[in-house]
């Protein structure tokens, strides 16, 4: 039986199963955790800052070597139901090299939290960080948001916030209808209205800062389509932004283009913030 865009349930499940599409995905996650632990050991001064009451409502702040620098708030991926901020500290290396402060936020996972709960937590993290940035050495007027996979969805949902100076979504999910119809919804519990209300594609802001929409050229076709269709809608609205297809990268490899100081996404973020791309 067809459930979405000529796909039956089995085909749709496979269309969003990034772990199965990248056989060594576990190796990436283990390596990211190792590199993250090394960074956290090197920069332990502002870890697990509470932005809310929930156990996962914490963020880690990695400070650049200068005050008044731009800041990046990053949200991890895992389809809103797995992973933790501690495995994604490594992404700070690229932005730090360009003079950014970097905050990596955790959030409550499904099924403990609904999608609306998760989006609210992301907003709370943003507002908490903005309120405390000056004390942490950042410039509250230069606060950027970014995220990978599910985190790309969260960064897109925050682009309607006037205090956001710009954003970067890497391999994001922007239309939750296929998510509602595939295996991922077993924990998310989305109904049609919840999927619509939390889909960035269907809730474009009236105005927004520059938004970079990036994805890997070797990703699953559905992930590529999500980014391309959202980017087209963003431009047509019209809102400022750019689309970057990263050659030779699958769903996991593309994130390393933010972590690497000379990566295409680290450089694009630096240009968007008006700092030297290096």
């Amino acid at each position: 039986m067809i459930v979405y865009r000529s796909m039956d349930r089995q085909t749709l499940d496979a269309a969003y199963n990034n772990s199965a599409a990248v056989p060594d995905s576990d190796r990436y996650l283990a390596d990211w955790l190792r590199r993250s632990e090394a960074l956290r050991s090197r920069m332990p001064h502002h870890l697990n800052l509470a932005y809310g009451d929930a156990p996962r409502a914490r963020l880690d702040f990695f400070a650049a070597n200068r005050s008044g620098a731009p800041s990046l708030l990053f949200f991890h991926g895992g389809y809103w139901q797995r992973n933790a901020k501690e495995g994604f500290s490594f992404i700070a290396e690229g932005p730090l090299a360009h003079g950014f402060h970097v905050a990596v936020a955790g959030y409550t996972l499904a099924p403990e939290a609904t999608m609306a709960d998760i989006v609210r937590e992301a907003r709370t993290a943003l507002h908490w960080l903005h309120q405390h940035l000056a004390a942490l050495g950042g410039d509250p007027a230069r606060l950027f948001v970014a995220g990978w996979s599910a985190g790309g969805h969260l960064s897109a949902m925050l682009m309607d916030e006037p205090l956001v100076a710009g954003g970067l979504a890497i391999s994001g999910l922007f239309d939750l209808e296929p998510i509602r119809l595939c295996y991922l919804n077993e924990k998310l519990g989305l109904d049609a209205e919840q999927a619509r209300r939390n889909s960035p594609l269907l809730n474009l802001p009236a105005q927004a800062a520059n938004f970079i929409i990036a994805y890997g050229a070797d990703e699953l076709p559905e992930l590529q389509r999500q980014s391309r269709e959202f980017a087209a809608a963003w431009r047509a609205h019209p809102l400022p932004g750019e689309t970057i297809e990263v050659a030779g990268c699958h769903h996991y490899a593309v994130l390393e283009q933010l972590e690497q100081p000379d990566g295409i996404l680290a450089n694009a973020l630096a240009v968007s913030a008006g700092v030297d791309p290096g």
Side-chain angles (χ1 to χ4, degrees):
M1 182 178 69
I2 300 302
V3 296
Y4 184 77
R5 291 191 175 220
S6 78
M7 290 180 275
D8 60 19
R9 173 61 187 269
Q10 183 178 6
T11 305
L12 182 60
D13 284 354
Y16 282 90
N17 194 332
N18 291 300
S19 298
V22 181
D24 59 346
S25 59
D26 286 346
R27 180 186 64 80
Y28 274 90
L29 292 171
D31 187 49
W32 292 353
L33 179 59
R34 178 188 60 78
R35 288 147 66 186
S36 294
E37 288 173 344
L39 178 63
R40 293 163 66 81
S41 178
R42 194 174 84 237
M43 304 181 72
H45 306 295
H46 302 291
L47 302 180
N48 292 314
L49 303 179
Y51 69 80
D53 296 330
R56 282 178 171 259
R58 304 287 185 273
L59 61 81
D60 300 326
F61 187 84
F62 304 104
N65 290 325
R66 55 193 176 95
S67 62
S71 299
L72 179 70
L73 174 60
F74 179 87
F75 296 96
H76 69 78
Y79 278 138
W80 309 274
Q81 56 194 271
R82 59 181 180 268
N83 295 332
K85 65 179 175 61
E86 286 79 8
F88 290 83
S89 306
F90 81 102
I91 67 92
E93 296 282 14
L96 282 168
H98 291 284
F100 283 82
H101 303 299
V102 181
V104 180
Y107 50 90
T108 306
L109 302 177
E112 184 178 346
T114 67
M115 185 66 71
D117 293 334
I118 294 169
V119 172
R120 272 194 298 271
E121 280 195 347
R123 290 192 189 279
T124 301
L126 175 72
H127 284 267
W128 185 95
L129 183 59
H130 183 262
Q131 182 180 355
H132 292 84
L133 256 185
L136 290 166
D139 179 356
R142 303 173 72 196
L143 176 54
F144 294 75
V145 296
W148 168 72
S149 200
H153 162 266
L154 294 176
S155 66
M157 291 295 288
L158 298 184
M159 289 303 296
D160 63 352
E161 295 277 357
L163 54 83
V164 171
L168 166 64
I170 306 169
S171 307
L173 291 309
F174 307 104
D175 179 4
L176 300 188
E177 182 64 4
I179 305 302
R180 180 180 75 85
L181 297 170
C182 77
Y183 75 102
L184 295 166
N185 206 38
E186 293 169 11
K187 289 186 177 180
L188 294 171
L190 291 165
D191 62 26
E193 175 55 23
Q194 291 167 341
R196 185 202 64 75
R197 195 165 57 243
N198 291 288
S199 290
L201 179 66
L202 305 178
N203 296 277
L204 293 168
Q207 55 187 16
N210 188 70
F211 197 31
I212 303 166
I213 300 157
Y215 61 94
D218 294 345
E219 298 215 46
L220 286 166
E222 269 292 287
L223 272 293
Q224 296 186 46
R225 180 190 66 78
Q226 286 256 1
S227 287
R228 286 196 297 264
E229 290 193 359
F230 180 69
W234 186 267
R235 290 192 304 269
H237 203 49
L239 293 165
E242 63 178 301
T243 309
I244 300 176
E245 181 182 85
V246 185
C249 285
H250 54 58
H251 188 66
Y252 295 83
V254 69
L255 182 55
E256 305 219 337
Q257 292 295 315
L258 176 62
E259 181 266 348
Q260 297 165 6
D262 61 349
I264 187 171
L265 300 184
N267 281 327
L269 179 68
V271 169
S272 179
V275 301
D276 183 4

